[in-house]
Amino acid sequence: MAEARKILLPADEFPKTWYNIVPDIAKTGKKLAEPKDSGRLNRMKEYVAPSLLAQEKSGAIEVPIPDEVRIHLIRTGRPTPLQHAVRLESHLKTPAKIYYKREDIGYSTDSKLTTAVAQAYYVINDGFEKIVGGGGARWGTSLSIAATRIGLKCDFIMPQSYLTLKEPHRILMEVNKTNVFGSPSDLTEVGRKVKESKKYETGNISLAMSEAVERAMEEKKSAFSFGYLFNFVMLHQTLSGVEAKRQFEMIDRYPDVVICPIDDFGFALPFVADKLAGKKPETRFIVTQSKYVPVLTEGKLDYDHADYAELTPLYRFHTLGRSFDPPMIHAGEMRYHGVPPILSHLVEAGIVEVRTYAQTECFEASWEWCRQQGVIPSHETQYVIKAVIDEAVKAKEEGKEEVIVFNNAGHTMLESSGYLELIVDKKLKLP
Amino acid sequence: MAEARKILLPADEFPKTWYNIVPDIAKTGKKLAEPKDSGRLNRMKEYVAPSLLAQEKSGAIEVPIPDEVRIHLIRTGRPTPLQHAVRLESHLKTPAKIYYKREDIGYSTDSKLTTAVAQAYYVINDGFEKIVGGGGARWGTSLSIAATRIGLKCDFIMPQSYLTLKEPHRILMEVNKTNVFGSPSDLTEVGRKVKESKKYETGNISLAMSEAVERAMEEKKSAFSFGYLFNFVMLHQTLSGVEAKRQFEMIDRYPDVVICPIDDFGFALPFVADKLAGKKPETRFIVTQSKYVPVLTEGKLDYDHADYAELTPLYRFHTLGRSFDPPMIHAGEMRYHGVPPILSHLVEAGIVEVRTYAQTECFEASWEWCRQQGVIPSHETQYVIKAVIDEAVKAKEEGKEEVIVFNNAGHTMLESSGYLELIVDKKLKLP
């Protein structure tokens, strides 16, 4: 029988540490820019778990993963398989070898669940009773799972339009006893003001984030939680990359190209470590963004707030401006004005290349992926798959047996509206 | 670190044979009733792959699984883990040990995909170019995956109302290049007649099946395929049971109770084999049905046609009558007038007990399951989970450390309408 091309890491080899790139960043020739605005930095202690703030600026390269976090993650399906996409390769007639990490097993997205479980763990350990999140639908679903498993109450604020557009996610959050609110909401001063102004009626991620921060600040024993931007989020999300590196060792291979969407670059960091250390200088890194939110190409690399209402400190990253109102693309988690400071730094340092795509071409690439590999990728991962196919076709033209890897982070089973517009209605509002 | 309670069968231990219960059925004291009506039986050769007809009446107890089928199934994620539901056990404070086979990894349902891949394999090997299916949405999605992987064209006919109620399934079938039609349709004589009569406007499974049979009969090189009722379907679906038995051996346990929904009893058969052989006389088997389709308790055990329009031969099974029009319950695949002849026989012989449930109580049981185990079960599996919880609570009352197992066959990520009615709209048409 032919080989199954599924590389399984046994649960007893579950990584014991996350990889922290922050101290290693200096190897690019420049240290990571510190956040500014000490007033706002100090106030973070009121609404962010101290353990997470400590991780945010940790100087350790290997950060231990608490046993309880490891057990919860194993129970939710980790470690996930590294899979060889043989059918897509033969369909494309490419000499490239395409590997993907299957981070789409759960009903949220494993890469988001990874940091949600870790954050919930620190939040409850630091004495909080509720976790308050703001952001996209898949982040909310992940947080609701983490909260219910760890034993925290949970409030989640997401853009108003997602209440209907991503309703199945909302239902699952409610099954997990999370209270879901649409932003702009009446819950917060920020929300009420924006509602009055009639701006941002459909809501957006940075506004939802402001509301979540305000709510967590005002409620005693509530901690804010965000699935993007912060160093500790990327730290937790290196887990799938640490696993993938070990899985590549098991088959004696190493990737030539690592491809990620802007909201899931943690996966690439353990491979970036080898490049920065001079061990693998030739590895290429590609990040994909939407042409409707071209933050890495048209954004300004400067200090900005993470949230619309300027409740958070100033961080240095590529930004379209915190009051940028992104159009309604289907990749909800990518509707945000900035990218994580770590990613900005790596793009600035020339370590990471950027690819920009429209929606339709990404849908088409992902359908081929679905037909060949049997997985319906998340909207965000569709951008990566478009880049993977482009790279594999280029490898064919150049006759290169390049090893490509990506993180198949999540599925769209709970978000069929994009497919509806494109397949059933034969029109897509934004191509 | 505590044990992960996930029992993985390595891909190289993938079973080499399915278990065929048909010859073993005689051990109940009575042979399985043969189908009748030789005219219709003969006509089946026109629209059913000869290899499948041969399997339908095979006298072999172990039927070899072709290598190509095994490779396709491994690539779609098999073998699936057997998981220990430790969180649910501690939530219920039961001494019972609850195990479940995770047949919900793919975007359809692994148990349906198992037979879809096998059927598609035989259909193309026997010289057909198209596979025509009729039935529920999850069956259609499974068939569309199998067809696209094996290289067959595919038409699928499902109840008219499912086009909107289960639209995400329809979209995925279309991504897989399957042509989807609502029944009653204009494609067939049966469909046109029923449309004229204004009966069954929302459609039902046995009518969709008639239409699929008619279309496969009329089109050259088209083969009919059905995910239920036939012996060969149950044969293929024993795969997860064969795997689970091996997984129980790995942890030196054996189930005391095996619980299945009416549309997925193949899982139980390898365990039934041990009971019939006198090796495990105490094992109990439970099957769950809907109170709105009480086929095993209120149906007549007699000969009936598998389809509404009487195109198929007569089979002996519990039936509510082929023109029974089931109400719109959410477990779509359970909206059918009959059960497989093998299951009917086992119920008649007293081997299998029946439990009947309403919808709301099953939704509530499944929410607990979701919160404790992180899986949103299929509507059909919800009935099983209700029975599992009932049994676990009974075991607690009786102080018994009973081992319970079930097949977690599929998820509801593509079918959130039931949750919508119950959680969001706070009303369910049929409780």
Side-chain angles (χ1 to χ4, degrees):
Chain A
M1 193 165 65
E3 54 162 325
R5 324 263 185 155
K6 181 173 167 181
I7 302 113
L8 291 164
L9 189 65
D12 57 16
E13 280 205 44
F14 193 99
K16 293 197 166 43
T17 52
W18 291 298
Y19 165 61
N20 181 21
I21 199 170
V22 176
D24 266 355
I25 281 276
K27 294 180 184 165
T28 60
K30 206 169 85 178
K31 282 170 74 176
L32 191 66
E34 297 277 344
K36 288 197 307 197
D37 191 339
S38 57
R40 285 181 176 84
L41 275 166
N42 284 334
R43 283 214 70 181
M44 286 184 101
K45 288 170 200 152
E46 293 170 31
Y47 63 88
V48 180
S51 307
L52 292 170
L53 286 178
Q55 280 190 346
E56 184 68 9
K57 45 188 183 177
S58 165
I61 297 222
E62 294 195 322
V63 176
I65 306 175
D67 270 359
E68 202 179 319
V69 172
R70 297 167 78 217
I71 290 169
H72 276 296
L73 291 175
I74 289 170
R75 286 192 187 155
T76 56
R78 296 209 75 80
T80 58
L82 179 72
Q83 199 113 12
H84 186 179
V86 277
R87 277 178 54 93
L88 181 68
E89 284 171 16
S90 80
H91 174 77
L92 297 174
K93 298 186 180 64
T94 178
K97 303 290 166 214
I98 303 170
Y99 289 87
Y100 60 109
K101 185 88 166 129
R102 282 213 63 176
E103 298 276 310
D104 63 312
I105 305 293
Y107 64 86
S108 63
T109 296
D110 297 353
S111 62
K112 294 196 192 294
L113 190 59
T114 303
T115 183
V117 167
Q119 290 187 46
Y121 167 82
Y122 290 115
V123 160
I124 203 164
N125 261 28
D126 287 349
F128 297 91
E129 288 168 5
K130 192 200 263 188
I131 197 162
V132 182
R138 291 194 297 129
W139 170 238
T141 301
S142 301
L143 204 61
S144 79
I145 296 170
T148 198
R149 291 198 161 236
I150 299 278
L152 282 164
K153 286 183 237 166
C154 183
D155 285 355
F156 194 76
I157 303 174
M158 66 180 179
Q160 188 66 40
S161 53
Y162 292 11
L163 294 184
T164 46
L165 199 63
K166 315 224 166 189
E167 192 162 40
H169 274 289
R170 174 189 169 194
I171 297 167
L172 285 178
M173 289 184 235
E174 292 186 359
V175 166
N176 282 324
K177 300 187 176 176
T178 287
N179 300 307
V180 184
F181 305 96
S183 167
S185 78
D186 292 318
L187 286 181
T188 64
E189 209 186 302
V190 171
R192 289 186 294 268
K193 264 198 196 156
V194 172
K195 268 182 115 168
E196 263 169 42
S197 76
K198 306 268 181 201
K199 264 168 54 179
Y200 309 120
E201 285 182 329
T202 57
N204 65 49
I205 304 267
S206 60
L207 179 56
M209 188 174 172
S210 287
E211 292 208 68
V213 169
E214 184 187 324
R215 191 165 171 87
M217 274 170 150
E218 285 189 352
E219 282 194 344
K220 260 183 121 179
K221 306 231 168 186
S222 280
F224 166 77
S225 183
F226 194 58
Y228 195 41
L229 200 97
F230 295 101
N231 299 347
F232 63 78
V233 176
M234 289 187 88
L235 173 75
H236 304 153
Q237 289 183 332
T238 59
L239 178 63
S240 61
V242 173
E243 287 176 2
K245 255 179 88 168
R246 177 74 192 100
Q247 284 161 315
F248 271 117
E249 274 170 32
M250 287 165 72
I251 54 165
D252 201 20
R253 277 212 162 129
Y254 194 93
D256 299 299
V257 193
V258 183
I259 311 184
C260 295
I262 49 168
D263 71 328
D264 181 32
F265 202 76
F267 172 75
L269 297 183
F271 299 101
V272 172
D274 288 346
K275 188 180 178 94
L276 294 179
K279 281 194 236 166
K280 295 282 179 186
E282 304 300 326
T283 318
R284 293 189 295 125
F285 296 91
I286 296 172
V287 72
T288 56
Q289 68 177 4
S290 161
K291 74 172 230 191
Y292 299 103
V293 190
V295 55
L296 280 165
T297 45
E298 294 178 31
K300 201 171 144 191
L301 181 44
D302 201 356
Y303 276 93
D304 196 0
H305 296 278
D307 70 304
Y308 168 81
E310 307 181 11
L311 301 176
T312 52
L314 287 160
Y315 294 88
R316 185 171 179 271
F317 54 78
H318 288 81
T319 174
L320 293 161
R322 62 192 167 277
S323 50
F324 169 71
D325 195 25
M328 282 299 296
I329 58 167
H330 286 287
E333 317 270 344
M334 282 159 69
R335 295 179 66 244
Y336 182 68
H337 64 282
V339 298
I342 288 172
L343 176 57
S344 270
H345 185 104
L346 293 171
V347 170
E348 186 185 19
I351 310 279
V352 177
E353 302 164 41
V354 183
R355 299 274 190 283
T356 310
Y357 298 114
Q359 292 195 115
T360 313
E361 56 188 340
C362 295
F363 273 113
E364 283 162 0
S366 85
W367 296 343
E368 202 52 63
W369 178 250
C370 169
R371 287 190 288 263
Q372 300 304 329
Q373 297 301 135
V375 170
I376 309 279
S378 69
H379 289 307
E380 293 75 6
T381 304
Q382 292 189 159
Y383 290 75
V384 170
I385 287 169
K386 168 68 178 144
V388 167
I389 291 177
D390 284 359
E391 286 295 310
V393 168
K394 201 182 75 177
K396 178 182 169 182
E397 286 159 5
E398 296 172 359
K400 276 192 196 163
E401 203 182 289
E402 209 159 46
V403 176
I404 303 170
V405 71
F406 73 98
N407 212 21
N408 197 96
H411 52 74
T412 18
M413 288 194 273
L414 298 166
E415 303 171 55
S416 53
S417 48
Y419 298 93
L420 272 170
E421 281 184 58
L422 202 51
I423 297 192
V424 180
D425 303 336
K426 314 280 184 211
K427 61 185 176 194
L428 193 63
K429 272 175 218 117
L430 294 168
Chain B
M1 195 167 64
E3 56 163 322
R5 323 266 184 153
K6 180 174 166 181
I7 302 112
L8 289 165
L9 188 66
D12 57 17
E13 280 205 45
F14 193 99
K16 293 196 165 48
T17 52
W18 290 298
Y19 165 61
N20 182 21
I21 199 171
V22 176
D24 266 356
I25 282 276
K27 294 180 185 164
T28 60
K30 205 168 89 178
K31 282 170 72 178
L32 191 66
E34 296 277 345
K36 289 196 307 195
D37 190 339
S38 59
R40 286 179 176 85
L41 274 167
N42 284 334
R43 283 214 70 180
M44 285 183 102
K45 289 170 200 152
E46 292 171 32
Y47 63 88
V48 180
S51 307
L52 292 170
L53 286 179
Q55 280 189 345
E56 184 68 9
K57 45 186 185 180
S58 165
I61 296 224
E62 295 196 321
V63 176
I65 306 174
D67 270 358
E68 202 180 319
V69 172
R70 296 168 77 216
I71 290 168
H72 276 295
L73 291 175
I74 289 170
R75 286 192 186 155
T76 55
R78 296 210 75 81
T80 57
L82 179 72
Q83 200 112 14
H84 186 179
V86 276
R87 277 178 55 92
L88 181 67
E89 284 170 17
S90 79
H91 174 78
L92 296 175
K93 299 185 180 63
T94 176
K97 303 293 166 211
I98 303 171
Y99 288 87
Y100 60 109
K101 184 88 168 131
R102 282 213 62 175
E103 299 275 312
D104 62 311
I105 305 292
Y107 63 86
S108 62
T109 296
D110 297 354
S111 62
K112 293 195 193 294
L113 191 59
T114 304
T115 182
V117 167
Q119 290 188 44
Y121 168 81
Y122 290 116
V123 160
I124 203 165
N125 259 30
D126 288 348
F128 296 91
E129 290 168 5
K130 191 199 265 187
I131 198 162
V132 182
R138 291 193 299 131
W139 170 238
T141 301
S142 301
L143 204 62
S144 79
I145 297 169
T148 198
R149 291 201 160 232
I150 298 277
L152 281 165
K153 286 183 236 165
C154 183
D155 285 354
F156 194 76
I157 304 174
M158 66 181 180
Q160 188 67 39
S161 53
Y162 291 12
L163 293 184
T164 46
L165 198 65
K166 314 224 167 189
E167 192 162 40
H169 274 290
R170 174 190 169 191
I171 297 168
L172 285 178
M173 289 184 235
E174 290 186 359
V175 166
N176 283 324
K177 298 188 177 176
T178 287
N179 299 307
V180 185
F181 304 97
S183 169
S185 78
D186 290 319
L187 286 180
T188 64
E189 209 187 300
V190 170
R192 289 186 295 269
K193 264 197 194 155
V194 172
K195 269 182 113 168
E196 263 168 45
S197 76
K198 306 268 180 200
K199 265 169 50 179
Y200 309 120
E201 284 181 332
T202 58
N204 66 49
I205 303 266
S206 61
L207 178 58
M209 188 176 173
S210 286
E211 290 209 70
V213 169
E214 185 186 322
R215 190 164 170 86
M217 273 172 151
E218 282 190 354
E219 282 193 344
K220 259 182 122 181
K221 305 231 169 189
S222 279
F224 166 77
S225 185
F226 194 59
Y228 195 42
L229 198 95
F230 296 100
N231 299 345
F232 63 79
V233 175
M234 290 188 87
L235 172 75
H236 305 151
Q237 290 183 331
T238 59
L239 179 62
S240 60
V242 174
E243 287 176 2
K245 255 179 88 168
R246 177 77 192 96
Q247 285 160 315
F248 272 117
E249 274 171 31
M250 288 164 72
I251 53 166
D252 202 19
R253 276 211 162 132
Y254 194 93
D256 299 300
V257 193
V258 183
I259 311 184
C260 294
I262 48 167
D263 72 328
D264 181 32
F265 202 77
F267 172 75
L269 297 182
F271 299 101
V272 173
D274 288 346
K275 188 180 177 93
L276 293 180
K279 281 192 238 170
K280 295 282 178 185
E282 304 301 324
T283 318
R284 291 189 297 126
F285 296 91
I286 296 172
V287 72
T288 56
Q289 67 177 5
S290 161
K291 74 172 232 190
Y292 299 103
V293 190
V295 54
L296 280 166
T297 45
E298 294 179 33
K300 199 172 145 191
L301 181 45
D302 200 357
Y303 275 94
D304 196 1
H305 296 278
D307 71 304
Y308 167 81
E310 308 181 11
L311 300 176
T312 51
L314 287 160
Y315 295 86
R316 185 172 179 273
F317 54 78
H318 288 80
T319 175
L320 293 161
R322 62 194 166 275
S323 50
F324 169 70
D325 195 24
M328 282 299 296
I329 58 167
H330 285 288
E333 317 270 344
M334 280 159 69
R335 297 179 65 244
Y336 182 69
H337 64 283
V339 298
I342 289 172
L343 176 57
S344 269
H345 185 105
L346 293 171
V347 170
E348 187 185 18
I351 309 280
V352 178
E353 301 163 43
V354 182
R355 298 277 190 280
T356 309
Y357 298 114
Q359 293 194 116
T360 313
E361 57 188 340
C362 295
F363 273 112
E364 283 162 0
S366 84
W367 294 344
E368 203 51 64
W369 178 249
C370 169
R371 286 189 288 264
Q372 300 304 330
Q373 297 301 134
V375 169
I376 309 279
S378 69
H379 288 306
E380 292 76 5
T381 304
Q382 292 189 161
Y383 291 75
V384 171
I385 288 169
K386 169 66 179 144
V388 166
I389 292 177
D390 284 358
E391 285 295 310
V393 169
K394 203 183 71 176
K396 179 182 168 183
E397 286 159 6
E398 296 172 359
K400 276 193 196 165
E401 203 183 287
E402 208 159 47
V403 176
I404 303 172
V405 69
F406 73 99
N407 212 21
N408 196 98
H411 52 75
T412 17
M413 289 195 271
L414 298 167
E415 303 171 53
S416 51
S417 47
Y419 298 92
L420 272 170
E421 280 183 61
L422 202 51
I423 297 191
V424 181
D425 303 335
K426 312 279 184 211
K427 60 184 177 193
L428 193 63
K429 272 176 219 117
L430 294 168

